[in-house]
Amino acid sequence: MDLIPLAEEICRRYRDEFPDEAERYGDAGIAWCVHDNQHLLFWGAGAVDGGVDLDRQVDWLATVLEARDFPLDRLARNLDLGAEVILEQLESGHGGRMAAALAAAATSVRLRASSASS
């Protein structure tokens, strides 16, 4: 599976929803978005195969992004978008399982964000 076009599509949708990102991060933000989404997709595929603990990897990424003042609700939405893209572009059962794993990770991020703000 070629992760780059999938990651680029996630980032396109993300930027459509959050146009303020362009001003805050500039063109480098797009490159980081694609980079991070390639990792998320790789981890999602690995979770389906059983070789990767997606929750642990996403928790690590959330910690890094949170330290950089990146809003965790946006990470969660990004994971939702990843699940949508995978469902649309991968036809196999593997794609459905991967999308479910990404959606579950989004829920975990939202729980983390809500407990951090409490």
Side-chain angles (χ1 to χ4, degrees):
M1 155 176 39
D2 188 358
L3 300 180
I4 293 174
L6 297 170
E8 290 173 340
E9 178 59 18
I10 295 165
C11 293
R12 185 193 65 73
R13 293 179 190 196
Y14 180 88
R15 277 287 175 102
D16 285 349
E17 287 193 30
F18 302 106
D20 62 306
E21 295 270 325
E23 185 177 320
R24 182 172 181 182
Y25 299 109
D27 289 340
I30 295 170
W32 277 111
C33 183
V34 172
H35 174 268
D36 288 352
N37 275 290
Q38 286 178 77
H39 281 287
L40 290 167
L41 293 169
F42 178 78
W43 296 333
V48 170
D49 293 338
V52 174
D53 183 342
L54 180 60
D55 287 333
R56 188 170 131 235
Q57 297 296 336
V58 170
D59 188 57
W60 170 82
L61 180 60
T63 299
V64 170
L65 294 176
E66 195 172 34
R68 295 178 181 161
D69 294 325
F70 185 85
L72 291 184
D73 61 322
R74 290 189 181 198
L75 173 59
R77 182 60 187 139
N78 183 79
L79 287 158
D80 290 333
L81 293 170
E84 291 171 14
V85 168
I86 292 299
L87 279 176
E88 292 169 12
Q89 297 195 18
L90 296 182
E91 307 240 351
S92 69
H94 184 82
R97 291 187 301 275
M98 186 174 165
L102 293 171
T107 298
S108 293
V109 171
R110 284 188 182 91
L111 289 172
R112 175 189 174 127
S114 68
S115 68
S117 65
S118 298

